[in-house]
Amino acid sequence: MRKVADANRPAVLRVLVYSSESDTRRQVMLALGKHPHPELPPVEYVEVATAPVLVQHMDAGGIDLAILDGEAAPTGGMGLAKQLKDELDSCPPIVVLTGRADDAWLANWSRAEAAVPHPIDPFQLTEAVTGLLRSRSAA
């Protein structure tokens, strides 16, 4: 049986990955891959290394989900998540990468929808990201 394409479904999902460390951005993209879930379109990544560029991309729109490194320097992802949630009328879901599992309360303060601790576990990250993207596409 052939699947009928959904006219409301985007051709790709744009996922912004913010970290001051290129290795962290690479780990995130490798953990998720290009097609993390069969029910979702493929993922296109937008790599960002600085807070001003992150804000510029988020202000422009077109991002389906953002993954922000809470350990980024000089501007951490948790503070940026809080800023984006406070300032954007239509902020996409945010996943914050925390320094440790016990920092989940800080991610909650930031109003991020999910938190995944360092070191990045591909299964945990994929579960968090696909859960948020599936919920967003269902809404």
Side-chain angles (χ1 to χ4, degrees), residues 13-25:
L13 293 169
R14 295 187 73 220
V15 173
L16 184 141
V17 181
Y18 165 75
S19 179
S20 55
E21 295 291 327
S22 62
D23 188 51
T24 300
R25 295 191 308 269

Side-chain angles (χ1 to χ4, degrees), residues 48-77:
V48 176
T50 65
V53 175
L54 165 71
V55 172
Q56 180 182 5
H57 277 287
M58 297 296 279
D59 280 342
I63 300 296
D64 295 295
L65 181 132
I67 301 170
L68 310 181
D69 184 4
E71 301 299 302
T75 310

Side-chain angles (χ1 to χ4, degrees), residues 11-97:
V12 296
L13 293 169
R14 295 187 73 220
V15 173
L16 184 141
V17 181
Y18 165 75
S19 179
S20 55
E21 295 291 327
S22 62
D23 188 51
T24 300
R25 295 191 308 269
R26 184 182 56 78
Q27 287 176 28
V28 166
M29 293 182 295
L30 286 173
L32 292 173
K34 297 217 181 256
H35 204 167
H37 195 280
E39 293 177 13
L40 294 171
V43 172
E44 174 183 283
Y45 294 102
V46 177
E47 282 188 76
V48 176
T50 65
V53 175
L54 165 71
V55 172
Q56 180 182 5
H57 277 287
M58 297 296 279
D59 280 342
I63 300 296
D64 295 295
L65 181 132
I67 301 170
L68 310 181
D69 184 4
E71 301 299 302
T75 310
M78 286 190 241
L80 286 169
K82 177 89 166 89
Q83 176 184 342
L84 293 168
K85 291 295 186 176
D86 288 347
E87 294 178 0
L88 294 178
D89 289 333
S90 181
C91 188
I94 295 176
V95 176
V96 174
L97 303 175

Side-chain angles (χ1 to χ4, degrees), residues 94-98 101 103-108 112-117 124 128 132:
I94 295 176
V95 176
V96 174
L97 303 175
T98 61
D103 291 338
W105 71 273
L106 282 169
N108 188 43
E113 283 79 4
V116 175
Q124 190 176 5
L132 291 171

Side-chain angles (χ1 to χ4, degrees), residues 101-124:
D102 291 343
D103 291 338
W105 71 273
L106 282 169
N108 188 43
W109 164 84
S110 75
R111 297 177 46 207
E113 283 79 4
V116 175
H118 283 283
I120 295 168
D121 177 324
F123 296 107
Q124 190 176 5

